[in-house]
Amino acid sequence: EVQLVESGGGLVQPGGSLRLSCTTSGFSFDDYAIGWIRQAPGKEREVVSCISTTAGATYYPDSVKGRFTISSDNAKNTVYLQMNSLKPEDTAVYYCATIGVMLLRLWKSPYEYDYWGPGTQVTVSS
């Protein structure tokens, strides 16, 4: 059974940092890439990063490039999202999800991700 569980969310002041973790089981990183997708109230889901250990590649949209860093520890089946210089507009529920490596070219589309975790809330506010 495929499972993903996010942790590490919380309340942080603007300019602060958080590190999210996504603990996974039931599948191989050889077959799937992992993305972090966020959804703010009233807004569409946005993919903020994606990592493929098979391709040795990471992906970021312009909205977070230079502030967010995705990494993985394959031995622990865990993917991390380090978020720095956080802004109020980063407030959202953050999900990790899988995307087949054959679909990696579509990493920007949240609709291409199949297995999802329950999400963790990130709130950036003073």
Side-chain angles (χ1 to χ4, degrees):
E1 180 186 8
V2 174
Q3 289 189 328
L4 301 94
V5 179
E6 305 90 345
S7 62
L11 173 64
V12 63
Q13 292 188 342
S17 299
L18 278 177
R19 189 177 83 153
L20 306 182
S21 299
C22 173
T23 303
T24 74
S25 62
F27 65 94
S28 171
F29 282 10
D30 289 340
D31 299 322
Y32 289 94
I34 303 295
W36 284 96
I37 301 110
R38 68 185 179 187
Q39 186 164 27
K43 294 188 177 181
E44 293 191 359
R45 289 180 173 180
E46 176 190 17
V47 182
V48 295
S49 65
C50 182
I51 185 168
S52 169
T53 57
T54 300
T58 57
Y59 306 89
Y60 306 93
D62 289 344
S63 58
V64 307
K65 197 173 292 183
R67 300 190 298 122
F68 290 11
T69 303
I70 192 170
S71 61
S72 69
D73 184 335
N74 289 15
K76 295 182 178 180
N77 294 320
T78 301
V79 174
Y80 304 98
L81 183 67
Q82 178 67 44
M83 304 186 295
N84 299 328
S85 302
L86 283 163
K87 306 175 182 180
E89 52 263 42
D90 294 317
T91 295
V93 177
Y94 283 70
Y95 303 89
C96 60
T98 62
I99 181 170
V101 293
M102 300 302 290
L103 296 175
L104 198 55
R105 69 192 186 283
L106 303 175
W107 70 270
K108 287 185 178 181
S109 171
Y111 303 102
E112 299 299 333
Y113 291 78
D114 36 25
Y115 299 102
W116 293 68
T120 186
Q121 176 70 47
V122 171
T123 302
V124 184
S125 175
S126 55

